[in-house]
């Protein structure tokens, strides 16, 4: 186990990514493209999608094949700085 994190790598890491439900944007595809830059073996078919009560927002649960803390830090950074993405947990 790394002293900087409680995770042991490699591992499957679950992320929640939320954004506005915009019919002009395939949010799952958009997010997948960002994830693929950091985890080429990410399985897009594993994404679980959930709409908010009023269907204004969409939440994605993604399982990332994580190889290092640096990989996850870079992925969080890319996702968080994108204006279409409201929250990353």
């Amino acid at each position: 186990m790394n002293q900087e994190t409680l995770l042991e790598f490699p591992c499957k890491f679950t992320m929640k990514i939320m954004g506005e439900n915009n019919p002009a944007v395939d949010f799952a595809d958009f997010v997948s493209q960002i994830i693929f830059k950091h985890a080429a073996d990410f399985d897009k078919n594993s994404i679980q999608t959930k709409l908010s009560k009023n269907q204004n927002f969409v939440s994605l649960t993604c399982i990332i094949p994580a190889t290092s803390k640096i990989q996850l830090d870079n992925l969080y950074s890319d996702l968080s700085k994108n204006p279409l993405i409201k929250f990353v947990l």
Side-chain angles (χ1 to χ4, degrees), residues 45-62:
N45 295 320
S46 69
I47 295 175
Q48 295 178 358
T49 304
K50 184 176 180 183
L51 291 173
S52 64
K53 182 179 178 181
N54 295 324
Q55 299 188 351
N56 295 323
F57 296 93
V58 62
S59 170
L60 305 179
T61 301
C62 302

Side-chain angles (χ1 to χ4, degrees), residues 3-89:
Q3 299 251 337
E4 293 180 31
T5 180
L6 298 176
L7 299 172
E8 288 189 39
F9 296 99
C11 67
K12 293 182 179 181
F13 188 81
T14 302
M15 298 179 85
K16 280 230 185 235
I17 303 150
M18 292 163 264
E20 290 183 31
N21 185 21
N22 181 343
V25 176
D26 182 338
F27 192 65
D29 188 55
F30 176 77
V31 168
S32 292
Q33 290 176 27
I34 296 172
I35 294 172
F36 280 130
K37 292 178 188 175
H38 300 275
D41 52 348
F42 171 66
D43 181 5
K44 181 181 174 187
N45 295 320
S46 69
I47 295 175
Q48 295 178 358
T49 304
K50 184 176 180 183
L51 291 173
S52 64
K53 182 179 178 181
N54 295 324
Q55 299 188 351
N56 295 323
F57 296 93
V58 62
S59 170
L60 305 179
T61 301
C62 302
I63 299 172
I64 312 299
T67 57
S68 69
K69 181 179 183 307
I70 292 170
Q71 174 205 30
L72 291 176
D73 288 346
N74 290 338
L75 177 55
Y76 266 102
S77 177
D78 278 359
L79 290 167
S80 297
K81 69 183 177 186
N82 192 291
L84 293 179
I85 297 171
K86 301 301 178 193
F87 296 100
V88 180
L89 305 172

